[in-house]
Amino acid sequence: MLLLITLLSSCKEKEAEREKAPTRVMTETVEATGMAGGQSYVGVVEENEGTAVSFTGMGAVRRVYVDEGQMVRRGQLIAEMDDTQALNALSAAEAQMAQANDALQRYGMLHDNGSLPESQWVEIQSKVAQAKSSLEMARKNLADCKLTAPVSGIVGRKQVSTGETAMPSQAVVTLLDISTVKVKVSIPEAEMSRLSSRTPSTISVAAANAQVSGGYIEKGVQADALTHTYDVRIRVQNNAHRLLPGMVADVTFHTGNGVGGPAITLPVTSVQKNAGGTLFVWTVDQARTAHRTPVETGRTIGNRVVVTSGLQAGQRVVVEGYQKLSEGTQVVY
């Protein structure tokens, strides 16, 4: 009995210690910003420019030296083709050039002595010119067996592999310039007048865990016949190459419409609803104690919601880990 009482007492003490242990959460300090007004859309990231790199002639690809996603510099070797025929053609052209130069030298002496008709001398000079042209073409064909990058960029897609036959102008790889990217958004025609080339914007890309400010805006001038929307492209600096073509982006244009002036926004998931339908958030005071704070909300902007009342700038709101909280819970962040 004494042993059982001791064990129960020890368990209760450990349970009490666990209850007193603070709960770990993530918080966000409330700030009033002027970025709440505007319209939100879904867009897609595009490369700034795409360049298809191809051979000028047909032949078997001996080797491709790059992989998809690899960064390449201008002039870097991309791939090479079997150059056996090109080498044979170059040897023949060099032999023809040597023969033409020998004839030019031999008949030149006769021409200088006046022993060679002028028409025959012109024919010899013509053969030398033809041989020179053939030699230059053979050299170029041999050089074209090596494919080099015309611009710097990232390999977006490799379309020809080692051993395959490349056709003239068939893209071997596509090089993408993503040091600057464009985010394409379709805008309804009724809202186009609110945008200018300098309208500020905020772009969130969940796949890259990035939120950036948009730059110069390119406005399309031809509407889609079915949807009556215009394509708008926003330039974004991407020096770290975090944003990749095809990624989905949430775009907010800060046009001053909707909520005017500074406003408080929070992640949508941080706003809870009790059994009575009242909205609330968990705030943390200076003693690191959690409190249920009623709030009122406005419009949603991307993955955030405007809080119209109930909070003041400087308060700390729990944005992750709120599922484990109750009134008066001690927290650590």
Side-chain angles (χ1 to χ4, degrees), residues 45-189:
V45 179
E46 295 181 340
E47 67 274 10
N48 184 40
E49 288 185 356
T51 303
V53 185
S54 60
F55 289 105
T56 57
M58 182 180 71
V61 177
R62 177 182 293 171
R63 187 175 177 184
V64 180
Y65 293 95
V66 297
D67 296 313
E68 293 184 0
Q70 180 179 338
M71 182 69 189
V72 299
R73 301 295 179 186
R74 181 178 179 180
Q76 182 175 335
L77 183 62
I78 299 292
E80 63 178 348
M81 187 185 296
D82 183 9
D83 58 1
T84 303
Q85 292 184 353
L87 285 171
N88 293 336
L90 178 61
S91 297
E94 289 174 342
Q96 184 180 2
M97 185 76 246
Q99 183 179 6
N101 284 332
D102 180 67
L104 181 67
Q105 184 177 4
R106 287 187 291 103
Y107 284 100
M109 298 176 61
L110 295 176
H111 177 265
D112 293 340
N113 294 331
S115 304
L116 186 70
E118 189 66 27
S119 59
Q120 191 173 354
W121 176 244
V122 171
E123 182 180 353
I124 293 172
Q125 288 181 316
S126 178
K127 289 182 178 181
V128 171
Q130 291 176 1
K132 183 178 180 180
S133 177
S134 298
L135 179 60
E136 291 176 351
M137 184 176 297
R139 288 173 176 170
K140 182 180 183 303
N141 290 338
L142 179 62
D144 287 344
C145 290
K146 296 184 181 294
L147 185 63
T148 57
V151 294
S152 299
I154 286 183
V155 179
R157 181 172 296 179
K158 185 168 68 173
Q159 303 184 42
V160 176
S161 300
T162 300
E164 295 182 352
T165 300
M167 304 299 293
S169 301
Q170 176 189 4
V172 176
V173 297
T174 302
L175 297 182
L176 307 178
D177 176 12
I178 60 171
S179 57
T180 300
V181 296
K182 297 178 182 179
V183 179
K184 185 180 76 170
V185 183
S186 296
I187 304 297
E189 59 182 10

Side-chain angles (χ1 to χ4, degrees), residues 304-319:
R304 300 181 72 84
V305 63
V306 177
V307 178
T308 57
S309 66
L311 295 177
Q312 295 181 353
Q315 285 185 281
R316 192 175 290 274
V317 176
V318 178
V319 295

